[in-house]
Coordinates of all heavy atoms in Angstrom, one line a residue:
V1 N 3.4 -2.1 13.9 CA 3.2 -0.7 13.6 C 4.3 0.1 14.3 O 4.9 1.0 13.7 CB 1.8 -0.2 13.9 CG1 1.7 1.3 13.7 CG2 0.7 -0.9 13.1
R2 N 4.6 -0.2 15.5 CA 5.6 0.5 16.3 C 6.9 0.5 15.7 O 7.7 1.5 15.7 CB 5.7 0.0 17.7 CG 6.4 0.8 18.7 CD 6.6 0.1 20.0 NE 7.4 -1.0 19.9 CZ 8.8 -1.1 19.8 NH1 9.4 0.1 19.7 NH2 9.4 -2.2 19.7
V3 N 7.3 -0.6 15.0 CA 8.6 -0.7 14.5 C 8.8 0.0 13.1 O 9.9 0.1 12.5 CB 9.1 -2.1 14.3 CG1 9.2 -2.8 15.7 CG2 8.2 -2.9 13.3
L4 N 7.7 0.7 12.7 CA 7.8 1.4 11.4 C 8.4 2.8 11.7 O 7.8 3.8 11.6 CB 6.4 1.6 10.8 CG 5.8 0.4 10.1 CD1 4.4 0.8 9.7 CD2 6.6 0.0 8.9
D5 N 9.7 2.8 12.0 CA 10.4 4.0 12.3 C 11.1 4.7 11.2 O 11.6 5.7 11.3 CB 11.4 3.7 13.4 CG 12.5 2.6 13.0 OD1 12.3 2.0 11.9 OD2 13.4 2.4 13.8
K6 N 11.0 4.0 10.0 CA 11.7 4.6 8.8 C 10.7 5.0 7.8 O 9.7 4.3 7.5 CB 12.6 3.6 8.2 CG 13.4 4.0 7.1 CD 14.3 2.9 6.6 CE 15.0 3.3 5.3 NZ 15.6 2.2 4.7
S7 N 10.8 6.2 7.3 CA 9.9 6.7 6.3 C 10.0 5.9 4.9 O 11.1 5.4 4.6 CB 10.2 8.2 6.0 OG 9.3 8.8 5.2
A8 N 8.9 5.9 4.2 CA 9.0 5.2 2.9 C 10.0 5.9 2.0 O 10.0 7.1 2.0 CB 7.6 5.2 2.3
E9 N 10.6 5.1 1.1 CA 11.6 5.7 0.2 C 11.4 5.0 -1.2 O 10.7 4.0 -1.3 CB 13.0 5.4 0.6 CG 13.4 6.0 2.0 CD 14.8 5.6 2.5 OE1 15.4 4.7 1.9 OE2 15.2 6.2 3.5
S10 N 12.0 5.6 -2.2 CA 11.9 5.0 -3.5 C 12.6 3.6 -3.5 O 13.6 3.5 -2.7 CB 12.7 5.9 -4.6 OG 12.0 7.1 -4.6
D11 N 12.1 2.6 -4.2 CA 12.7 1.3 -4.2 C 13.7 1.2 -5.4 O 13.3 1.4 -6.5 CB 11.6 0.3 -4.4 CG 12.0 -1.2 -4.2 OD1 13.2 -1.4 -4.4 OD2 11.2 -2.0 -3.9
T12 N 14.9 0.9 -5.0 CA 16.0 0.8 -6.1 C 15.7 -0.4 -7.0 O 16.3 -0.4 -8.1 CB 17.3 0.7 -5.5 OG1 17.4 -0.4 -4.5 CG2 17.7 2.0 -4.7
A13 N 14.9 -1.4 -6.6 CA 14.6 -2.5 -7.4 C 13.5 -2.3 -8.4 O 13.1 -3.1 -9.2 CB 14.2 -3.7 -6.5
F14 N 12.9 -1.0 -8.3 CA 11.7 -0.8 -9.3 C 12.2 -0.9 -10.7 O 13.2 -0.4 -11.1 CB 11.2 0.6 -9.0 CG 10.1 1.0 -9.9 CD1 8.9 0.5 -9.8 CD2 10.4 1.9 -11.0 CE1 7.8 0.9 -10.7 CE2 9.4 2.3 -11.8 CZ 8.1 1.7 -11.6
D15 N 11.4 -1.6 -11.5 CA 11.7 -1.7 -12.9 C 10.4 -1.4 -13.7 O 9.4 -2.2 -13.7 CB 12.1 -3.2 -13.2 CG 12.4 -3.5 -14.7 OD1 12.3 -2.6 -15.5 OD2 12.8 -4.6 -15.0
A16 N 10.3 -0.3 -14.4 CA 9.2 0.1 -15.1 C 8.7 -0.8 -16.2 O 7.6 -0.8 -16.6 CB 9.3 1.5 -15.6
S17 N 9.7 -1.6 -16.7 CA 9.3 -2.6 -17.7 C 8.7 -3.9 -17.2 O 8.1 -4.7 -18.0 CB 10.5 -2.9 -18.6 OG 11.5 -3.5 -17.9
H18 N 8.8 -4.1 -15.9 CA 8.2 -5.3 -15.2 C 7.6 -4.8 -13.9 O 8.1 -5.0 -12.8 CB 9.3 -6.3 -15.0 CG 9.8 -6.9 -16.2 ND1 11.0 -6.4 -16.8 CD2 9.5 -8.0 -17.0 CE1 11.3 -7.1 -17.9 NE2 10.4 -8.0 -18.0
L19 N 6.4 -4.2 -14.0 CA 5.8 -3.6 -12.9 C 5.4 -4.6 -11.8 O 4.9 -5.7 -12.1 CB 4.5 -2.9 -13.3 CG 4.8 -1.6 -14.2 CD1 3.4 -1.0 -14.6 CD2 5.6 -0.6 -13.5
D20 N 5.7 -4.3 -10.6 CA 5.5 -5.1 -9.4 C 4.8 -4.3 -8.4 O 5.3 -3.2 -8.0 CB 6.8 -5.7 -8.9 CG 6.7 -6.5 -7.6 OD1 5.6 -6.5 -7.0 OD2 7.7 -7.1 -7.2
P21 N 3.6 -4.7 -8.0 CA 2.9 -3.8 -7.0 C 3.6 -3.5 -5.7 O 3.3 -2.6 -5.0 CB 1.6 -4.6 -6.7 CG 1.4 -5.6 -7.9 CD 2.8 -5.8 -8.4
A22 N 4.6 -4.3 -5.4 CA 5.4 -4.1 -4.1 C 6.6 -3.2 -4.3 O 7.3 -2.9 -3.3 CB 5.8 -5.5 -3.6
T23 N 6.9 -2.7 -5.5 CA 8.0 -1.8 -5.7 C 7.5 -0.5 -6.3 O 6.4 -0.5 -7.0 CB 9.0 -2.4 -6.6 OG1 8.5 -2.6 -7.9 CG2 9.5 -3.8 -6.0
S24 N 8.2 0.5 -6.1 CA 7.8 1.9 -6.7 C 9.0 2.8 -6.8 O 9.9 2.7 -5.9 CB 6.7 2.5 -5.8 OG 6.4 3.8 -6.3
H25 N 9.0 3.6 -7.8 CA 10.0 4.7 -7.9 C 9.6 5.9 -6.9 O 10.5 6.6 -6.6 CB 10.0 5.2 -9.3 CG 8.8 6.0 -9.7 ND1 7.6 5.3 -10.0 CD2 8.6 7.3 -9.8 CE1 6.7 6.2 -10.3 NE2 7.2 7.5 -10.2
A26 N 8.4 5.9 -6.5 CA 7.9 6.8 -5.6 C 8.2 6.4 -4.1 O 8.4 5.2 -3.8 CB 6.4 7.1 -5.8
P27 N 8.2 7.4 -3.2 CA 8.4 7.0 -1.7 C 7.0 6.3 -1.2 O 6.3 6.9 -0.4 CB 8.7 8.2 -1.0 CG 8.0 9.3 -1.9 CD 8.1 8.8 -3.3
Y28 N 6.8 5.1 -1.6 CA 5.5 4.4 -1.3 C 5.8 3.0 -1.0 O 6.7 2.3 -1.7 CB 4.6 4.5 -2.6 CG 3.4 3.6 -2.5 CD1 2.2 4.1 -1.9 CD2 3.4 2.3 -3.1 CE1 1.1 3.2 -1.9 CE2 2.3 1.5 -3.0 CZ 1.2 2.0 -2.5 OH 0.0 1.2 -2.4
R29 N 5.2 2.5 0.0 CA 5.3 1.0 0.3 C 4.0 0.5 0.9 O 3.2 1.3 1.4 CB 6.5 0.7 1.2 CG 6.4 1.4 2.5 CD 7.7 1.3 3.3 NE 7.6 2.1 4.5 CZ 8.5 2.1 5.4 NH1 9.6 1.4 5.3 NH2 8.3 2.8 6.5
I30 N 3.9 -0.8 0.8 CA 2.7 -1.4 1.4 C 3.1 -2.7 2.1 O 4.0 -3.4 1.6 CB 1.7 -1.8 0.2 CG1 0.3 -2.1 0.8 CG2 2.1 -2.8 -0.7 CD1 -0.6 -0.8 1.0
F31 N 2.5 -3.0 3.2 CA 2.9 -4.2 4.0 C 1.7 -4.9 4.4 O 0.7 -4.4 4.8 CB 3.7 -3.8 5.3 CG 5.0 -3.2 5.1 CD1 5.2 -1.9 5.5 CD2 6.0 -3.9 4.6 CE1 6.5 -1.3 5.3 CE2 7.3 -3.4 4.4 CZ 7.5 -2.1 4.7
N32 N 1.7 -6.2 4.3 CA 0.7 -7.1 4.9 C 1.0 -7.2 6.4 O 2.2 -7.4 6.8 CB 0.8 -8.5 4.4 CG 0.2 -8.6 3.0 OD1 -0.5 -7.7 2.5 ND2 0.4 -9.7 2.2
M33 N 0.0 -7.0 7.3 CA 0.2 -7.1 8.7 C -0.7 -8.3 9.2 O -1.9 -8.1 9.4 CB -0.1 -5.8 9.4 CG 0.7 -4.6 8.9 SD 2.4 -4.6 9.6 CE 2.1 -4.1 11.2
G34 N -0.1 -9.5 9.4 CA -0.9 -10.6 9.8 C 0.0 -11.6 10.6 O 1.1 -11.4 10.8
N35 N -0.7 -12.7 10.8 CA -0.1 -13.8 11.6 C 0.6 -14.8 10.7 O 1.5 -15.5 11.2 CB -1.2 -14.4 12.4 CG -0.6 -15.5 13.3 OD1 0.6 -15.6 13.7 ND2 -1.5 -16.4 13.7
S36 N 0.2 -14.9 9.5 CA 0.8 -15.9 8.6 C 0.6 -17.4 9.0 O 1.3 -18.2 8.6 CB 2.3 -15.7 8.3 OG 2.5 -14.4 7.8
Q37 N -0.4 -17.6 9.8 CA -0.8 -18.9 10.2 C -2.3 -19.1 10.2 O -3.0 -19.0 11.2 CB -0.3 -19.3 11.6 CG 1.2 -19.3 11.7 CD 1.7 -19.5 13.1 OE1 1.0 -19.5 14.1 NE2 2.9 -19.9 13.3
P38 N -2.9 -19.2 9.0 CA -4.3 -19.3 8.8 C -4.9 -20.4 9.6 O -4.3 -21.5 9.8 CB -4.5 -19.5 7.3 CG -3.2 -19.1 6.7 CD -2.2 -19.3 7.7
V39 N -6.1 -20.1 10.1 CA -6.8 -21.1 11.0 C -8.2 -21.4 10.3 O -8.9 -20.5 9.8 CB -7.0 -20.5 12.4 CG1 -7.9 -21.5 13.2 CG2 -5.7 -20.2 13.0
R40 N -8.6 -22.7 10.3 CA -9.9 -23.0 9.8 C -11.0 -22.5 10.7 O -10.8 -22.6 12.0 CB -10.0 -24.6 9.7 CG -9.2 -25.2 8.6 CD -9.2 -26.7 8.7 NE -10.3 -27.3 9.5 CZ -11.3 -28.1 9.0 NH1 -11.1 -28.5 7.8 NH2 -12.3 -28.5 9.7
I41 N -12.0 -21.9 10.2 CA -13.1 -21.3 11.0 C -13.7 -22.5 11.9 O -14.1 -22.2 13.0 CB -14.1 -20.6 10.2 CG1 -14.9 -19.6 11.1 CG2 -15.0 -21.5 9.4 CD1 -14.1 -18.5 11.7
L42 N -13.8 -23.7 11.4 CA -14.4 -24.8 12.1 C -13.5 -25.1 13.4 O -14.0 -25.5 14.4 CB -14.6 -26.0 11.3 CG -15.7 -25.9 10.3 CD1 -15.8 -27.2 9.4 CD2 -17.0 -25.6 10.9
D43 N -12.2 -24.9 13.2 CA -11.3 -25.2 14.4 C -11.5 -24.1 15.4 O -11.5 -24.3 16.6 CB -9.8 -25.1 13.9 CG -9.4 -26.3 13.1 OD1 -10.2 -27.4 13.1 OD2 -8.4 -26.3 12.4

């Protein structure tokens, strides 16, 4: 969270004919914040 020092901006890769939830013409963005190393609950 601390490294989010830049405000959201329009995504130049946005393509209205092929909508992608991770891109937007608006100053909007979304990030997954996790470890990327899932662990079995039994472990």
Side-chain angles (χ1 to χ4, degrees):
V1 172
R2 190 187 66 74
V3 300
L4 285 174
D5 58 354
K6 183 178 172 193
S7 187
E9 298 174 350
S10 299
D11 189 336
T12 58
F14 177 75
D15 180 357
S17 63
H18 296 90
L19 295 177
D20 176 349
T23 66
S24 176
H25 69 285
Y28 169 87
R29 61 187 175 178
I30 196 87
F31 293 114
N32 286 346
M33 301 285 286
N35 182 22
S36 299
Q37 295 179 344
V39 178
R40 292 171 20 120
I41 200 69
L42 289 177
D43 292 341

